[in-house]
Amino acid sequence: MNVLLTGGAGFIGSHAAAMLAEAGHYVVIVDNLSNSDASVLRRLERVCGHPLPFVEGDIRDSALMRSTMKQHGVQSVMHFAGLKAVGESNEKPLDYYSNNVQGTISLLQAMDQCDVRQLVFSSSATVYGQPQYLPLDEAHPTSATNPYGRTKLHIEEMLRDVAASSAQWRFVCLRYFNPVGAHSSGLLGEAPRGTPNNLMPYVAQVAVGTRAHLNVWGDDYDTPDGTGVRDYIHVMDLVEGHLAALNFLQDNAGWSAINLGTGTGYSVLDMVKAFEQASQRAVPYSIKPRRQGDVASCYANPQLALNKLGWRATRSLQDMCDSAWAWQSNVGK
Ligand code: NAD
Ligand code: UD1
């Protein structure tokens, strides 16, 4: 199948590109490189053994999106492009609504004009807001606590309206938990710009020596060791979930929202220990006050993904840390 990957030069999109190409799909990437750089494409070429078609541009440029879809005979879209930093979304909400919501509207309009009506959307567990019960299943009420989360919620709801308007449209919203880890080649991984907000890239930078120590945001939560518990999922498991969603779309019209998580929670200190073991480096840390907006625990009920997509995560915490370390100590440093 000919698949367009918006944001395909980013962390998750680049792994999806590698896996789709390996599975024999034709992949074309559109990315404006606002949070990635062209070196990813050279590394993707090494991983795939051939260059992947790449168009530098913005998903809000409908004319570019139309010409790209026509030129490459696109049949299906995986929509990764968007801004994703929670703190920044509080400071620059319009950038988030423009890139994420307006970007998705432009993309859908271009798709409609090209008769492309299948899309897998990168949603987030952030749409569950403050968990009312655990594990989180898809029936859990949705809400948002910041502009980033609200853009994800708006897009999910917009896709549901569009799917209801015509049986031609097919959407799967994948609600990611905490994607971590890297490609087994060591050539693709997460390379955040500036100071990482998320735990795993921060821990990796401490292990490699770029940062002196980790700040652990709170050890007084109601969790086994007092630190926050999350559902970390290997990025390769995550992108396998996208392939399963793409297959699902071939036989199923309408709209679905599906969790991609493992169902298992690990604490901050579990992650530190596992990373120390993988890297054979110390990860010094100090306990700091809680981070505003954080919850004690957040993990998925992944049953619907198994029922609908026949998918479940298989890679271990050790795999996540080993691959993240191979990347960090190789290209990512
Ligand atoms: P990323 O920033 O590494 O990748 C996103 C890519 O999209 C970047 O390469 C960026 O340059 C590009 N992009 C941004 N705006 C664009 C635009 N208007 N036009 C064209 N390209 C644009 O992020 P990621 O971690 O790979 O996340 C991918 C998607 O998954 C995002 O939508 C994100 O919100 C969602 N998500 C990520 C996580 C996570 O922890 N990484 C969790 C839940 C959901
Ligand atoms: C963050 C985002 C969320 C997004 C999710 C997955 C925030 C407030 N939320 O959530 O919207 O869906 O990532 O990408 O940013 N931690 C530390 N020290 C650090 C960094 C993190 O102790 O330097 C702790 C946190 O307090 C938390 C855990 O590590 O307990 C995981 O944090 P993080 O990686 O930021 O993910 P989430 O909090 O799940």
Side-chain angles (χ1 to χ4, degrees):
M1 185 168 296
N2 293 11
V3 190
L4 168 66
L5 269 56
T6 73
F11 169 41
I12 299 167
S14 59
H15 290 78
M19 192 174 272
L20 281 163
E22 196 194 341
H25 295 285
Y26 176 89
V27 174
V28 53
I29 293 172
V30 172
D31 199 301
N32 66 2
L33 304 181
S34 60
N35 199 37
S36 48
D37 67 78
S39 67
V40 175
L41 299 155
R42 292 193 289 277
R43 285 182 271 111
L44 259 176
E45 179 174 348
R46 285 175 62 192
V47 169
C48 300
H50 58 88
L52 299 183
F54 170 66
V55 177
E56 184 173 348
D58 197 294
I59 54 167
R60 289 164 291 186
D61 183 346
S62 278
L64 180 77
M65 299 309 292
R66 276 198 304 275
S67 62
T68 302
M69 283 190 258
K70 287 201 176 119
Q71 189 191 335
H72 295 276
V74 167
Q75 297 160 296
S76 200
V77 176
M78 289 192 186
H79 180 28
F80 299 100
L83 302 180
K84 62 166 186 175
V86 173
E88 185 187 59
S89 79
N90 286 312
E91 288 150 28
K92 300 177 180 170
L94 289 177
D95 286 359
Y96 277 68
Y97 284 102
S98 174
N99 261 278
N100 296 5
V101 180
Q102 179 57 42
T104 305
I105 294 171
S106 300
L107 172 66
L108 291 170
Q109 286 171 332
M111 286 174 65
D112 198 28
Q113 286 156 359
C114 296
D115 293 323
V116 179
R117 297 197 181 82
Q118 295 185 9
L119 180 137
V120 180
F121 173 58
S122 297
S123 190
S124 167
T126 193
V127 300
Y128 295 120
Q130 188 81 16
Q132 294 172 17
Y133 59 83
L134 290 168
L136 290 160
D137 59 25
E138 291 79 357
H140 186 283
T142 53
S143 68
T145 54
N146 54 69
Y148 164 70
R150 241 178 309 280
T151 66
K152 292 291 175 192
L153 212 43
H154 284 336
I155 295 167
E156 280 204 2
E157 288 168 353
M158 180 169 74
L159 296 179
R160 189 158 45 183
D161 287 339
V162 175
S165 73
S166 156
Q168 290 186 312
W169 286 102
R170 297 172 175 216
F171 299 116
V172 177
C173 300
L174 295 175
R175 294 175 174 167
Y176 308 166
F177 280 70
N178 292 61
V180 298
H183 192 262
S184 56
S185 63
L187 292 169
L188 305 173
E190 189 171 13
R193 292 185 172 181
T195 309
N197 295 311
N198 294 119
L199 178 65
M200 273 293 267
Y202 204 107
V203 167
Q205 290 189 10
V206 173
V208 86
T210 312
R211 298 187 188 275
H213 74 279
L214 170 73
N215 294 314
V216 175
W217 306 127
D219 69 348
D220 56 353
Y221 285 107
D222 184 14
T223 60
D225 66 17
T227 65
V229 166
R230 296 292 183 273
D231 187 337
Y232 297 94
I233 174 169
H234 198 300
V235 63
M236 297 309 288
D237 277 330
L238 191 86
V239 299
E240 272 175 11
H242 288 66
L243 257 77
L246 188 66
N247 290 336
F248 173 82
L249 280 179
Q250 306 319 305
D251 304 321
N252 296 277
W255 178 97
S256 329
I258 302 176
N259 287 340
L260 290 186
T262 66
T264 302
Y266 289 106
S267 74
V268 175
L269 297 184
D270 289 335
M271 298 306 286
V272 168
K273 259 183 247 145
F275 208 89
E276 286 185 327
Q277 206 176 323
S279 63
Q280 293 295 301
R281 303 277 182 97
V283 177
Y285 64 85
S286 53
I287 307 293
K288 291 284 164 38
R290 293 178 178 193
R291 183 172 69 178
Q292 206 194 337
D294 269 359
V295 298
S297 298
C298 176
Y299 49 92
N301 178 337
Q303 191 60 41
L304 190 67
L306 186 59
N307 297 349
K308 280 198 163 188
L309 308 180
W311 170 93
R312 66 183 179 82
T314 58
R315 293 166 178 83
S316 67
L317 178 60
Q318 206 54 52
D319 287 341
M320 301 180 210
C321 294
D322 286 346
S323 60
W325 177 243
W327 155 254
Q328 185 69 46
S329 54
N330 179 18
V331 180
K333 57 188 172 201

